């Protein structure tokens, strides 16, 4: 209860100790949407764990419907080793169409395990991992899906989904945009899932390989690509890109972790109607602060602790502010107040900046 802080209900979504819930819930109508993932403080990507999407009743927390993001009763053939799926970030909801669009996470193990190199414990595309999955918002029935990276061996989650309205020669229309750690932004027809355009962002190296013969550096690697939420305004999509390399081996399983501070990142503006890059600028550090549009500026922030205000039209830096620690979250904005969580400081702090009028 927002007035008193009294607990109204609680609902357990995880099935095992190594399942987790790591998503911002979304309330719509009389439902609250969330997801489990195969990662928690107790373990990551343990065999048998699978991410499930949930719609909960707003008043009671009861499960209205659920959707298993692993399209396989035996977890792609080996439940003792395999895991995957779930959603890390909020879905996008189209009220007019009655649809909810989810970006789905990766399969595991990646790249492989002893005896099962290159993800061979989970043959096939490993649906619905790394897919944009579209469900009926009221019932959870699958409408369509589009997989961006079949049989992923590099942890290339398709984590973000957004709906962007554009106006061009075809008139007014809506584009379903998805992106994630593969460093590719994809525009879809919101009714059919047909791919309208595909735009790579950031540095790419060996990321199209499907089989590794030995240790191989890959870009984007662990925690690289479009890790944190993009933004959109006036038919333009803005993404923050981490150029984080990682070295993978065919029989070595990886959990969590990244090689931050290796290369500068990028901020990119993309025309949502065509997928054309409008501007692409270098960001000094690792932009883990997402992208947030405020009037004629778009903001990101880095794990090195710098808040950066960019001109929406050109990408030029308008001003910067040095935080007292690293930033790995994104802000809230109300009127001329911007609130930033500074997560990588000791202690962690919340900072309020007053934006110029």
């Amino acid at each position: 209860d927002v007035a008193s802080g009294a607990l109204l209900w609680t609902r357990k979504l995880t099935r095992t100790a190594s399942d987790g819930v790591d998503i911002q819930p979304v309330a719509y109508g009389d439902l609250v949407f969330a997801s489990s993932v195969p990662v928690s403080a107790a373990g990551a990507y343990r065999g048998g764990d699978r991410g499930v999407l949930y719609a909960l009743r707003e008043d009671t927390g009861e499960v209205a419907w659920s959707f298993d993001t692993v399209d396989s009763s035996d977890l792609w053939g080996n439940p003792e080793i395999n895991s995957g799926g779930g959603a890390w970030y909020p879905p996008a909801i189209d009220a007019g169409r009655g649809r909810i669009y989810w970006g789905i996470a990766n399969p595991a193990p990646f790249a492989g395990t002893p005896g099962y190199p290159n993800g061979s414990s989970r043959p096939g595309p490993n649906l619905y991992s790394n897919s944009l999955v579209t469900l009926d918002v009221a019932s959870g029935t699958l409408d369509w899906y589009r997989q961006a990276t079949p049989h992923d061996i590099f942890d290339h989650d398709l984590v973000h989904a957004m709906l962007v309205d554009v106006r061009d020669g075809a008139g007014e229309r809506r584009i379903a945009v998805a992106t994630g750690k593969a460093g590719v932004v994809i525009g879809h027809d919101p009714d059919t899932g047909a791919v309208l355009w595909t735009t790579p962002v950031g540095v790419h190296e060996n990321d199209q390989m499907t089989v590794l013969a030995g240790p191989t550096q890959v870009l984007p690697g662990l925690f690289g690509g479009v890790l944190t939420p993009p933004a959109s305004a006036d038919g333009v999509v803005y993404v923050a890109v981490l150029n984080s390399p990682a070295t993978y081996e065919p029989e070595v399983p990886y959990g969590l972790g990244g090689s931050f501070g290796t290369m500068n990142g990028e901020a990119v503006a993309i025309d949502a109607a065509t997928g054309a890059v409008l501007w692409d600028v270098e960001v000094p550090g690792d932009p883990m602060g997402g992208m947030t549009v405020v009037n004629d500026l778009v903001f990101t922030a880095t794990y090195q602790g710098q808040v950066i205000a960019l001109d929406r039209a050109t990408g030029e830096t308008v001003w910067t502010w040095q935080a007292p620690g690293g930033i790995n979250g994104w802000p809230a904005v109300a009127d001329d107040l911007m609130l930033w969580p500074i997560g990588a400081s000791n202690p962690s702090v919340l900072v309020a900046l007053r934006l110029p009028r």
Side-chain angles (χ1 to χ4, degrees), residues 196-283:
L196 305 176
W197 49 263
T198 301
T199 303
V201 291
V203 180
H204 289 260
E205 179 184 349
N206 297 323
D207 57 316
Q208 297 302 308
M209 297 179 69
T210 58
V211 175
L212 301 175
T216 305
Q217 178 171 284
V218 176
L219 270 158
L222 296 177
F223 286 4
V226 184
L227 177 65
T228 53
S232 68
D234 301 322
V236 177
V237 174
Y238 302 92
V239 297
V241 186
L242 274 73
N243 290 320
S244 176
T247 298
Y248 297 88
E249 299 182 50
E251 293 188 308
V252 176
Y254 294 85
L256 299 179
S259 50
F260 305 133
T262 306
M263 303 170 64
N264 283 338
E266 298 170 41
V268 185
I270 298 170
D271 185 327
T274 65
V277 173
L278 302 177
W279 50 258
D280 183 342
V281 298
E282 186 173 286
V283 172

Side-chain angles (χ1 to χ4, degrees), residues 95-326:
R97 289 175 169 84
R99 293 190 182 121
I100 184 167
Y101 301 76
W102 296 82
I104 306 301
N106 60 285
F110 55 90
T113 63
Y116 293 98
N118 298 305
S120 56
S121 63
R122 46 180 177 85
N126 306 144
L127 293 173
Y128 296 99
S129 68
N130 297 10
S131 298
L132 182 60
V133 166
T134 305
L135 309 176
D136 180 276
V137 73
S139 68
T141 303
L142 178 65
D143 191 350
W144 58 260
Y145 72 90
R146 187 68 59 186
Q147 190 174 43
T149 309
H151 193 76
D152 171 28
I153 61 172
F154 298 135
D155 186 33
H156 280 169
D157 314 52
L158 192 75
V159 286
H160 304 296
M162 64 192 312
L163 298 168
V164 184
D165 292 326
V166 301
R167 177 189 288 273
D168 56 15
E172 292 186 5
R173 57 197 176 103
R174 178 162 285 183
I175 309 294
V177 177
T179 188
K181 287 154 65 179
V184 179
V185 185
I186 308 170
H188 306 76
D189 183 296
D191 295 315
T192 66
V195 173
L196 305 176
W197 49 263
T198 301
T199 303
V201 291
V203 180
H204 289 260
E205 179 184 349
N206 297 323
D207 57 316
Q208 297 302 308
M209 297 179 69
T210 58
V211 175
L212 301 175
T216 305
Q217 178 171 284
V218 176
L219 270 158
L222 296 177
F223 286 4
V226 184
L227 177 65
T228 53
S232 68
D234 301 322
V236 177
V237 174
Y238 302 92
V239 297
V241 186
L242 274 73
N243 290 320
S244 176
T247 298
Y248 297 88
E249 299 182 50
E251 293 188 308
V252 176
Y254 294 85
L256 299 179
S259 50
F260 305 133
T262 306
M263 303 170 64
N264 283 338
E266 298 170 41
V268 185
I270 298 170
D271 185 327
T274 65
V277 173
L278 302 177
W279 50 258
D280 183 342
V281 298
E282 186 173 286
V283 172
D286 299 290
M288 296 181 69
M291 294 290 259
T292 301
V293 172
V294 182
N295 298 326
D296 59 350
L297 299 177
V298 59
F299 290 84
T300 190
T302 67
Y303 196 64
Q304 290 71 30
Q306 189 175 64
V307 174
I308 305 169
L310 304 171
D311 185 288
R312 271 180 55 195
T314 65
E316 294 181 10
T317 299
V318 177
W319 55 263
T320 63
W321 179 77
Q322 186 62 44

Side-chain angles (χ1 to χ4, degrees), residues 49-60:
D49 288 350
R50 54 207 298 148
V52 178
L53 311 178
Y54 291 94
L56 308 178
R57 298 291 180 196
E58 183 184 34
D59 55 350
T60 65

